[in-house]
């Protein structure tokens, strides 16, 4: 992975090395923190269209498939097969899921692993509290039980790295201890490193939740205790997660991240309709991949101008996981200095 990403340390590659691909806006749950479920999903790219776009990304080594709920697509297994067949340089495939479709998820993962055993397959199952709390936040009775079932099934697959993902909101944060107790009750060997935390994120084009901007600015639970509990990283993904958490804590405190964003340098976001965006946060459409080749957009004046705005932080700046992980990998020296300084400060407090 490091060797593959090292090209981006010195120049902007001819195509991105990392892409977040939103494959559906539809969702079966009704979360208040995200309004994408209100979208009917009209105009979604078909699997052949997605495959055609992926073929245009020869340097792609890190792919995130997201939604909505990706496994609401009945062709989800076909989609993962298409990913396996059109991304020869892929090293990491990640997707989040609310866990509602256990059988479909497990079958798709099994098929992908059989075709591409060398790719690290990472799945994040979203759980925001103990059963009643999670079901209330997600707007559906039984959502917690289905998510736990999916997490358990994937955890039993040695070829899959699976994590619990919790979004820190005013509704979830008072129940973090109760959620941890529930997870330990069900999985006695559950470790803090299997638990991903993320702040509420605001995005009009992705989450359609701009009305929650004020709530997102309110800082509540400190992440530093979670950092201390995780201990030393045990691998590359664990190292990236720890780096994100350490720096996210200081960004929450009001510091700039000081780690250059890689949006439109080595990363990009693609909507379910094939629209190219800089990232999942900045509502800046750059062109349709149904109408243009990826290369023509990637090298366009519009995209280069938008990249300049990212470098100047005219986009507003952020430190969300989707952008933080490639930022850490894309500027390793700066990231190491900032992470070490901040990590030592956390340990001293």
């Amino acid at each position: 992975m490091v060797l593959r990403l090292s090209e981006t340390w010195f120049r902007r590659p001819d195509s991105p090395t990392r892409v977040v691909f939103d494959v559906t806006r539809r969702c079966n749950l009704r979360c208040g923190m995200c309004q994408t479920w209100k979208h009917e999903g009209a105009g979604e790219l078909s699997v052949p269209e997605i495959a055609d776009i992926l073929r245009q990304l020869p340097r792609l080594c890190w792919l995130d498939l997201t939604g909505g709920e990706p496994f609401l697509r009945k062709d989800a297994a076909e989609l993962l097969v298409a990913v396996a067949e059109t991304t020869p340089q892929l090293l990491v495939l990640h997707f989040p899921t609310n866990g509602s479709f256990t059988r479909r998820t497990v079958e798709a993962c099994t098929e992908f692993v059989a075709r591409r055993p060398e790719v690290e397959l990472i799945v994040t199952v979203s759980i925001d509290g103990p059963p009643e709390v999670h079901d209330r936040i997600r707007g559906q009775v039984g959502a917690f039980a289905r998510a736990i079932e999916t997490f358990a099934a994937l955890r039993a697959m040695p070829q899959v790295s699976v994590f619990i993902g919790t979004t820190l909101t005013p509704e979830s944060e008072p129940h973090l201890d109760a959620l941890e107790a529930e997870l330990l009750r069900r999985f006695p060997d559950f470790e803090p490193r299997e638990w991903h935390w993320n702040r509420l994120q605001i995005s009009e084009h992705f989450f359609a939740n701009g009305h929650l901007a004020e709530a997102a600015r309110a800082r509540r639970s400190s992440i530093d205790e979670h950092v201390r509990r995780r201990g030393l990283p045990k691998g590359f993904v664990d190292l990236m997660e720890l780096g994100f958490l350490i720096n996210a804590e200081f960004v929450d405190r009001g510091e700039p991240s000081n780690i250059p964003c890689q949006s439109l340098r080595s990363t990009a976001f693609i909507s379910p309709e094939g629209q190219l965006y800089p990232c999942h946060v900045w509502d800046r459409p750059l062109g349709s991949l149904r109408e243009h080749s990826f290369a023509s957009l990637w090298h366009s004046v519009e995209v280069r101008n938008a990249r300049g705005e990212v470098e100047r932080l005219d986009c507003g700046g952020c430190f969300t996981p989707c952008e933080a992980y490639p930022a850490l990998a894309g500027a390793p020296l700066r990231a190491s200095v900032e992470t070490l300084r901040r990590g030592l400060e956390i340990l001293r407090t």
Side-chain angles (χ1 to χ4, degrees), residues 30 96 260 281:
R30 299 294 179 264
V281 175

Side-chain angles (χ1 to χ4, degrees), residues 26-256:
R26 294 174 292 141
C27 188
N28 58 303
L29 300 187
R30 299 294 179 264
C31 309
M33 59 193 167
C34 172
Q35 304 296 302
T36 186
W37 52 267
K38 293 182 178 180
H39 198 284
E40 294 180 356
E44 286 179 2
L45 294 168
S46 66
V47 169
E49 286 178 308
I50 293 172
D52 181 61
I53 292 172
L54 292 176
R55 289 190 189 96
Q56 299 176 54
L57 306 174
R59 287 175 166 78
L60 186 67
C61 60
W62 181 354
L63 175 64
D64 283 84
L65 298 179
T66 189
E69 170 49 49
F71 288 92
L72 197 58
R73 289 187 64 133
K74 294 181 180 179
D75 58 0
E78 181 185 347
L79 174 58
L80 261 65
V81 168
V83 170
E85 293 177 345
T86 58
T87 57
Q89 302 300 316
L90 195 66
L91 297 175
V92 176
L93 172 64
H94 167 259
F95 58 81
T97 174
N98 63 38
S100 295
F101 304 95
T102 303
R103 181 176 177 181
R104 191 177 294 173
T105 305
V106 170
E107 288 178 350
C109 288
T110 301
E111 182 69 23
F112 181 85
V113 167
R115 292 171 180 265
R116 296 294 299 276
E118 80 283 7
V119 175
E120 183 161 11
L121 179 57
I122 305 170
V123 183
T124 303
V125 181
S126 300
I127 299 181
D128 290 322
E132 290 185 6
V133 174
H134 178 78
D135 289 0
R136 183 173 67 249
I137 291 174
R138 296 286 171 164
Q140 190 174 103
V141 174
F144 179 92
R146 290 190 292 275
I148 283 291
E149 179 185 4
T150 299
F151 177 72
L154 294 174
R155 202 169 185 252
M157 298 176 64
Q159 314 95 321
V160 179
S161 299
V162 60
F163 300 87
I164 296 293
T166 299
T167 301
L168 304 183
T169 66
E171 292 76 26
S172 68
E173 291 187 56
H175 306 282
L176 293 173
D177 290 342
L179 173 56
E180 182 177 29
E182 182 71 20
L183 293 172
L184 286 170
R185 184 180 72 80
R186 294 170 181 265
F187 308 99
D189 60 340
F190 184 80
E191 297 184 71
R193 68 182 68 251
E194 297 177 80
W195 193 9
H196 170 73
W197 287 15
N198 185 29
R199 296 287 187 195
L200 173 64
Q201 302 169 37
I202 302 300
S203 170
E204 273 301 329
H205 79 87
F206 185 36
F207 296 118
N209 65 350
H211 62 290
L212 297 177
E214 190 62 34
R217 282 191 287 268
R219 181 175 179 271
R220 293 161 295 274
S221 296
S222 174
I223 296 174
D224 56 0
E225 179 58 34
H226 191 46
V227 169
R228 283 190 286 266
R229 289 187 305 166
R230 289 175 60 90
L232 295 175
K234 294 184 177 180
F236 178 75
V237 173
D238 200 17
L239 178 64
M240 296 289 285
E241 174 76 359
L242 185 61
F244 162 69
L245 289 169
I246 289 172
N247 289 287
E249 170 66 15
F250 283 80
V251 171
D252 280 351
R253 296 178 186 180
E255 287 190 15

